[in-house]
Structure formats: C-alpha cells, structure tokens
Amino acid sequence: MKSTFLAAALAAGLAATPAMAQTAPAVLFDVGGKFDRSFNQAAYEGAERFKRETGVQYSEFEITNTAEREQAIRNLARRGASVVVAVGFSNRAAVETVAKEFPNVRFTLIDSVVDLPNVQSVTFREHEGSFLVGMAAALASRTGKVGFVGGMDVPIIRKFHRGFEEGAKHANAQVEVFMNMTGTTPAAFRDPTRGAELARGQFDRGVDVVFAAAGATGIGVYQAAKDAGRLAIGVDSNQNHLHPGTMLTSMTKRVDVAVYEAMTQARAGTWRPGARVLGLREEGVGMAIDEHNRRLITPEMERRIAEARQAIIEGRIVVTDVTAAR
C-alpha cells in the first residue's frame, strides 16, 4: 500500500509540469528545493536558461524525502525524457539502479559518478574555489579567526572545508579556522535556524568571517552575520545580493552550466556519457565579485587571490582534494 501511494504521489507531481514532447529533458532537484538560493537554484536557473533559449519545456521533480529518489527518476525515464538530470550526490545509487533498467535513456548525474554507458557524471573541484574564498576570508578578517559551517557531514562538504582552510592559511599562516557541521542526514541542508545558531556560536569565539557550504541552511548563517555585523561567504550560486555589505563574496559552482549543457547536448545529439570534472581551469568554480561586494574586496586582496588562482591552474599550488582516491 505504501509503495502504491508513493508511486501515485510521484505521478501527480510529475503531471503538474507542463505538457511536453517526448524528447524534452527532465531534472530532479535534491532536498532543499529548487528555490534554496544555492545549489538547487543554480540547477533550476540552468534548466530555465535552456527553456528560454529553445522554447522547450522540461519535466521536474523536487525531492522531499529519500524514499522518493528512485521512483521519481524511474517515472521521469518512463516519460521518454531526452535526458534525466539528477542533481546531487545523494542520487547516485538511484541513478545507477534506474539507468540499468532504461539503457536507452540518457542520465546526467551532478556531484557524483556512475560508470555506465548511458550516464554522464559531472563533478567539480570545489576545493579550488573554496581555496580562493578562504584567502578572502583571512585577508578580510580583523580578528584572525574565520569559520566554516557545513551542511551534511559527508566527504564533498569536507572537500569545501579543506580547501577553505588551506586558502585561509595561505593568506595568513597564523589564522584560526573554526568548523561546524550541521548534521549527518540530508535535512542538514535545509535548516537555517541551526545554521544561524552555529554561526552565532563561532562569532562568540571571535570569528568575524564565516563560509557556509550548507545549501538552504546557509540562509540562516548569512542572516546571523548581518545581525552581528560580521561577514559571510555564500556558496554554489552567487549569493552576494542577499545581504549587500555583509556578504564578503560567494564561492560559485556552475551547476547551472552543467544542467544547461546536458539539456542542450541531448537536444543537439552531442550528449556523451562519461566523467567530466570542472575546476578553476574550466571556470566550473570561482569567486564572485560584483556591485554587491565590490567595496569589501580591496585591490590588494583581489591581486593576491588572482595570483593564487593562476598558480592553482598552472599546478604551482595544489589544493588538497580529500575525496581523491588514496
């Protein structure tokens, strides 16, 4: 009875999207929803760009609990999508299972890897972008103490943390880096209240710049920074506009480009399976400077960060990837 109810609910959710041709793409958003202002929203913006440019609608589904993943992906595949884009590392097992069931359907998985002939896996060198914002944090800090608030305690979030820490210490060898993870389940990516609490705890210990790699949880971190007159760093999407004056910068991760390219390639017939890794060299990650944070990034800070960026691209600085095979 439970599985029948779940299948019906998923079908109803998919039916709510506009009618489309059999060759239209589909996207599955992860927990936190497509308007999390961070990771999922970047994916949404990529899909919306595809729709604007082509006039082709796409199917979508937003995960609210882990039990939905496999059935949601299966239903999207059954509808004849040109490509099913699954956003988030938590979808890896579901993609692997369903891709075997539908060998003629293309799947693009964001943030994890599945080695199958009909799966394209797109991952990012988050540690490289995090290195740059770690430098920015240390250079902007007046206390010599910076903080990191992660979402779910998993290797990919540890990857953000290590890059941030190494960047901060590259800029200031004496800087102290504080770290807290929000939780051990996917709910850790959608808990702004807890994010604010963790940020305030770090502020009480002298931190004056905090980087949140925590999806929608980061919204609470940024608000806490604004309330305390401290600085915050956004993640995935450019979040500088959320609180101009207290958002030091954002570590951008071009999930939007990965989604857009998967959809356009499927439409053009140029989609290919296999693994793609996007870092600073490929402009898959970066650090956002715009009108909202321009006055917070001094010319000297920008010069030093630009030099480090080039050194990473050329291999003269190697940022630790904690997820690399040992």
Side-chain angles (χ1 to χ4, degrees), residues 118-171:
N118 58 333
V119 178
Q120 178 187 80
S121 303
V122 183
T123 57
F124 297 83
R125 297 188 184 95
E126 295 92 349
H127 50 301
E128 293 182 351
S130 297
F131 186 97
L132 302 187
V133 300
M135 286 188 66
L139 293 171
S141 176
R142 296 182 178 181
T143 64
K145 297 179 180 182
V146 300
F148 177 90
V149 174
M152 185 179 176
D153 191 355
V154 288
I156 194 170
I157 300 302
R158 294 274 174 177
K159 191 176 177 184
F160 280 93
H161 169 253
R162 178 64 70 85
F164 176 76
E165 182 176 52
E166 291 184 0
K169 291 187 175 180
H170 179 80

Side-chain angles (χ1 to χ4, degrees), residues 163-315:
F164 176 76
E165 182 176 52
E166 291 184 0
K169 291 187 175 180
H170 179 80
N172 175 7
Q174 305 305 314
V175 72
E176 291 185 68
V177 182
F178 295 79
M179 186 269 282
N180 293 103
M181 295 292 186
T182 305
T184 57
T185 69
F189 290 115
R190 56 175 188 267
D191 193 348
T193 300
R194 181 59 175 155
E197 291 172 356
L198 293 173
R200 287 193 292 267
Q202 292 188 1
F203 297 153
D204 289 343
R205 300 172 69 184
V207 166
D208 60 353
V209 186
V210 62
F211 175 33
T217 296
I219 301 302
V221 174
Y222 312 145
Q223 184 64 55
K226 178 184 178 183
D227 294 344
R230 311 295 172 90
L231 296 174
I233 297 173
V235 74
D236 294 335
S237 296
N238 181 351
Q239 298 178 314
N240 295 351
H241 65 282
L242 295 180
H243 298 291
T246 58
M247 293 298 294
L248 177 63
T249 187
S250 297
M251 198 292 278
T252 54
K253 178 174 168 179
R254 301 307 304 272
V255 177
D256 58 327
V257 173
V259 172
Y260 170 79
E261 289 184 348
M263 291 182 171
T264 54
Q265 289 166 4
R267 179 173 171 79
T270 58
W271 183 97
R272 296 289 181 271
R276 298 178 62 206
V277 184
L278 307 178
L280 287 177
R281 180 185 297 277
E282 299 79 13
E283 297 187 351
V285 297
M287 174 181 147
I289 300 178
D290 58 22
E291 69 274 17
H292 300 295
N293 72 331
R294 176 70 273 179
R295 69 179 183 82
L296 298 174
I297 305 294
T298 67
E300 176 62 14
M301 290 170 64
E302 189 170 3
R303 181 189 65 77
R304 290 188 59 181
I305 292 167
E307 288 176 352
R309 178 183 184 279
Q310 190 60 34
I312 292 169
I313 290 173
E314 294 175 1

